[in-house]
Amino acid sequence: MTAAEVSAFLVQVFPQFAIGRSYKIEETRHGFARMRMVYGDHLLRPGGTISGPAMFTLADVAMYAAVLATIGPVALAVTTSLTINFLRKPEPRDMIGEARMLKLGKRLAVGEIGLVSEGESELAAHATATYSVPPH
């Protein structure tokens, strides 16, 4: 699925994610998705940094976009595991999540997600995720 197709699908089945406003899918291809989380003060935690729950959400939605880009519009593909390591304090600005599929099996999709503050090259967080893929 293209970035526009994934975005339209997510708007339809998960309107609460504010796809196109708070989260923008910038690029997709087989096994890959690049997503932007648009900065807002509501994402901050004390200390002026992006909160862990906000970064966790970006990682999860970016991985879901990579899964959809690869297998098509499957609403019932669900997260079974997501582990995140917070590596450095992200700056209070847009955050970019790049998700890469490591393995796609019959029932599971496994991938990794790197999160960076816009304009930075060092990872703010790294996550690994497993999605359950329903039988076709």
Side-chain angles (χ1 to χ4, degrees), residues 4 10 12 19-21 37 41 49 51-52 55 70 78 86 90 92 101 111-112 115 124-126 132 136:
L10 290 176
Q12 177 187 1
I19 299 296
R21 296 184 310 276
M37 181 173 66
D41 288 342
T49 186
S51 73
M55 289 190 286
T70 305
V78 296
F86 300 104
M101 188 90 58
E112 68 175 348
L115 303 179
H126 177 265
S132 175
H136 299 338

Side-chain angles (χ1 to χ4, degrees), residues 2-4 7 23-29 32-38 65 94-98 118:
T2 66
S7 293
Y23 297 93
K24 297 181 180 182
I25 301 170
E26 297 185 336
E27 179 186 351
T28 60
R29 59 181 181 271
F32 176 83
R34 183 175 199 263
M35 178 169 273
R36 174 181 300 270
M37 181 173 66
V38 178
D94 286 6
M95 181 162 270
I96 308 300
E98 289 192 351
E118 183 177 40

Side-chain angles (χ1 to χ4, degrees), residues 35-118:
M35 178 169 273
R36 174 181 300 270
M37 181 173 66
V38 178
Y39 172 76
D41 288 342
H42 66 286
L43 299 173
L44 296 179
R45 67 173 305 283
T49 186
I50 303 292
S51 73
M55 289 190 286
F56 191 95
T57 300
L58 175 59
D60 192 24
V61 178
M63 185 63 200
Y64 188 46
V67 169
L68 294 175
T70 305
I71 67 170
V74 180
L76 295 179
V78 296
T79 310
T80 60
S81 172
L82 195 146
T83 302
I84 191 165
N85 293 297
F86 300 104
L87 304 173
R88 63 185 36 81
K89 179 181 174 181
E91 296 299 320
R93 55 180 170 241
D94 286 6
M95 181 162 270
I96 308 300
E98 289 192 351
R100 288 176 177 74
M101 188 90 58
L102 300 174
K103 181 179 181 184
L104 176 61
K106 290 181 182 180
R107 303 287 276 199
L108 297 175
V110 179
E112 68 175 348
I113 309 96
L115 303 179
V116 297
S117 295
E118 183 177 40

Side-chain angles (χ1 to χ4, degrees), residues 116-131:
V116 297
S117 295
E118 183 177 40
E120 298 286 324
S121 59
E122 298 285 327
L123 288 178
H126 177 265
T128 56
T130 302
Y131 266 73

